[in-house]
Amino acid sequence: MGPVLARLRALRPPVTALDAAALRETCPGLEGIDRDSDFAQALVLDPKAYDAALMR
Amino acid sequence: MLILLLLPLLGAASSVAQEAPRAANAEALPNFPREEMREVLSAGFAAILDRHLERALPSDLIIWGLAGLAGMDPGLRAERLGREARLMRGRRAILARSMPGDSLRPNIEAAAAAAAELLVQFQEASWTAVPAIREAGREAMLRASFNGIFTHLDPFSRYVTPEEAQIARDRRLGQGGVGVRLAVARGQQVVVAAISPDGPAAQAGIRVGDRLISVDDELVFANDLPGAGLLLEGAAQTEVTLVVQRGGRRRSVVLRRIATQVETVRSELRDGVLHMKISGFTALTSAQVTAAVEAAFGQANPPRGLVLDLRGNRGGILTQATAIADIFLNDGEIVSSSGRHADANRRYAASEADLIEGRPIVVMVDGRTASAAEILAASLADRGRAAVLGTGTLGKGLVQILMPLPNGGEIQISWARIILPGGWPLQGAGLLPALCTAGGA
């Protein structure tokens, strides 16, 4: 998601519907899943993976 | 005095045939609440002209409001021809009037009053000529006119009737309910957005995400969410029947209302990590988060990190979201808001020490995460203080302000755009997680 997040952070208002849709389709806004919590738990406990997932 | 000065401008001759000259005569229509409508529209228009995020002209408000009014009856339509506004039925005009100028001088209130005066003339004419509009009543006319305007401005501004506003005030005082908060989901469905863990709805097996079909045999609609909420409320210990749908299955449940507030924070320790779910942002949420964090991380053997679950969180009070971000940031900007009105431009900054001293935070979001919840997640992500996991959020990054109206109602106006410290807006694209679990990946 790195390049996508860079594009997201490069947006400036007003954002066109086209730009918004192009970004949104990279990770559609579906309902969360049960395993999200397991993934999150694992991420907290794995410093390298956690650091890689930070948006900076 | 102001209206008298403007009337000559409003009474200009029309070039089309008109149905009934009496429609423009206030004295001939004692049943039409002319003064109340004029005062409410005038105050509402002043608020929109002064504070809405998007600049609108007085003539825009007249034409858009007229279009909303015309939408109340399939035989009506609004027309604009140069500076003339017309309310048409078939090929004939019920009323045609020249619109006042779009100057906001000498002040916004005067321009708003002039525009309101003209729209009231159209309302009065339609009241006289169209039985369906008379039967719908004044609140329906106000709602239709304001909705017609907001359709052109943004999806979140709206008119709040006196009844709805009163319900909101009663709720703050502890009105009885069934322990749910409603929201509009994609597909224009009314869904359960938050639920009190021990409330009547939870005990009956209702869950966040369930679709609400009807309350006491009255269907609920996405375009009247406050009305749906109003149906759920009533005196404590009274019963209410809900029809809810999960997947393809519908069922009817009878709930007994209790005097309760929706709990918005739940936390549990799981294998050395504190998992905290925030289902909404009420006036007490940040205090509840602080208490839970201090209780867990103040121990001799604190958790190794925090999982913040904002999935399904539709938002709430903005300052509660920024206060929660402040709990986990030492300093610097949390978020800023930007709008046309000077007061809409604000910068929210962290001022307290990070209560969990830099330990890892993972925020879970999904497509139902909206508004203040997105702001909290995006702020922590943008500052590099949390990793975000889940699916793309809703993308509601506009802030609304509530303005009181003379009839006891309110007008909710989008007046600011949320901007993250990195300069990007939430509105539209929303927040994308670094780790996307869409499709179960």
Side-chain angles (χ1 to χ4, degrees):
Chain A
M1 291 293 286
V4 173
L5 295 182
R7 280 169 54 204
L8 179 71
R9 297 189 78 185
L11 290 176
R12 293 295 178 268
V15 177
T16 68
L18 206 61
D19 285 342
L23 280 164
R24 293 182 65 84
E25 71 179 12
T26 63
C27 186
L30 305 178
E31 194 169 327
I33 56 175
D34 290 342
R35 292 188 65 195
D36 283 348
S37 295
D38 299 331
F39 295 144
Q41 172 88 8
L43 199 55
V44 166
L45 298 175
D46 184 337
K48 280 188 178 175
Y50 175 78
D51 202 52
L54 292 176
M55 181 194 277
R56 58 186 182 193
Chain B
M1 178 63 76
L2 179 62
I3 293 164
L4 288 175
L5 289 172
L6 290 164
L7 280 175
L9 284 174
L10 305 176
S14 165
S15 60
V16 295
Q18 293 186 35
E19 280 187 354
R22 66 193 171 94
N25 184 343
E27 285 76 21
L29 298 166
N31 290 332
F32 179 72
R34 167 172 247 286
E35 276 310 299
E36 179 189 327
M37 301 297 263
R38 189 185 59 76
E39 288 177 1
V40 171
L41 286 174
S42 188
F45 283 8
I48 295 167
L49 292 172
D50 189 32
R51 293 173 183 262
H52 196 279
L53 185 62
E54 305 294 339
R55 186 181 301 279
L57 300 173
S59 61
D60 293 332
L61 302 188
I62 295 168
I63 290 295
W64 297 339
L66 183 57
L69 182 68
M72 294 179 72
D73 186 281
L76 301 179
R77 70 180 190 280
E79 282 187 358
R80 176 179 194 161
L81 190 65
R83 297 298 303 177
E84 188 170 85
R86 299 172 178 173
L87 179 60
M88 305 293 291
R89 180 159 56 185
R91 299 172 66 178
R92 298 183 68 84
I94 290 177
L95 188 68
R97 284 287 182 270
S98 291
M99 292 187 285
D102 281 326
S103 169
L104 297 183
R105 293 178 180 167
N107 54 53
I108 285 174
E109 286 72 23
E117 170 59 29
L118 194 60
L119 187 55
V120 165
Q121 290 188 29
F122 282 106
Q123 287 183 328
E124 190 167 9
S126 67
W127 176 281
T128 304
V130 185
I133 288 184
R134 273 199 307 280
E135 287 162 14
R138 69 180 84 178
E139 283 305 321
M141 293 177 81
L142 286 170
R143 189 194 296 273
S145 294
F146 279 117
N147 282 353
I149 291 166
F150 292 136
T151 296
H152 292 268
L153 293 174
D154 78 281
F156 309 115
S157 296
R158 68 186 185 92
Y159 168 69
V160 183
T161 67
E163 191 179 21
E164 293 163 355
Q166 185 60 51
I167 290 293
R169 288 189 282 270
D170 287 346
R171 187 181 293 133
R172 289 193 284 273
L173 295 173
Q175 175 82 338
V178 297
V180 301
R181 188 159 54 81
L182 303 176
V184 175
R186 290 182 190 278
Q188 292 298 295
Q189 298 176 345
V190 177
V191 298
V192 174
I195 194 160
S196 178
D198 301 317
Q203 289 178 357
I206 292 174
R207 298 203 309 234
V208 168
D210 283 354
R211 179 183 176 189
L212 181 62
I213 305 297
S214 68
V215 179
D216 283 340
D217 295 327
E218 288 197 41
L219 293 173
V220 299
F221 298 100
N223 63 1
D224 186 19
L225 193 63
L230 186 136
L231 290 172
L232 292 177
E233 297 187 355
Q237 300 307 315
T238 56
E239 289 189 342
V240 60
T241 303
L242 277 59
V243 174
V244 295
Q245 179 172 326
R246 185 182 305 152
R249 183 169 164 264
R250 288 189 182 186
R251 67 185 179 113
S252 176
V253 289
V254 179
L255 306 176
R256 185 177 293 276
R257 296 182 179 99
I258 59 170
T260 183
Q261 284 196 325
V262 175
E263 287 291 330
T264 54
V265 179
R266 291 185 79 181
S267 57
E268 63 172 343
L269 203 57
R270 191 196 303 175
D271 298 328
V273 175
L274 184 67
H275 285 245
M276 178 180 291
K277 181 167 185 64
I278 303 177
S279 56
F281 297 92
T282 68
L284 300 174
T285 304
S286 67
Q288 291 171 359
V289 171
T290 300
V293 166
E294 285 181 337
F297 288 87
Q299 296 176 5
N301 187 21
R304 293 173 62 183
L306 172 68
V307 171
L308 205 53
D309 187 355
L310 299 179
R311 296 173 301 172
N313 184 325
R314 311 296 293 188
I317 302 172
L318 168 63
T319 50
Q320 289 291 308
T322 58
I324 293 168
D326 194 0
I327 292 171
F328 305 112
L329 293 167
N330 283 318
D331 52 27
E333 183 174 316
I334 296 169
V335 78
S336 65
S337 62
S338 168
R340 274 197 315 123
H341 193 278
D343 294 344
N345 296 290
R346 292 194 58 180
R347 179 177 180 270
Y348 300 86
S351 57
E352 306 291 335
D354 176 358
L355 281 184
I356 68 171
E357 299 175 330
R359 290 183 180 84
I361 302 173
V362 173
V363 181
M364 297 192 291
V365 296
D366 68 7
R368 302 165 300 161
T369 304
S371 194
E374 292 177 275
I375 291 167
L376 171 59
S379 174
L380 293 176
D382 189 74
R383 292 288 309 274
R385 183 63 189 92
V388 181
L389 176 153
T391 66
T393 63
L394 189 71
K396 180 186 178 295
L398 300 183
V399 182
Q400 285 77 45
I401 184 172
L402 268 179
M403 306 288 290
L405 295 172
N407 65 344
E410 294 167 341
I411 191 168
Q412 179 177 302
I413 298 172
S414 293
W415 79 323
R417 182 180 281 116
I418 289 294
I419 307 292
L420 277 303
W424 51 286
L426 264 183
Q427 179 64 20
L431 171 66
L432 296 169
L435 296 174
C436 179
T437 59

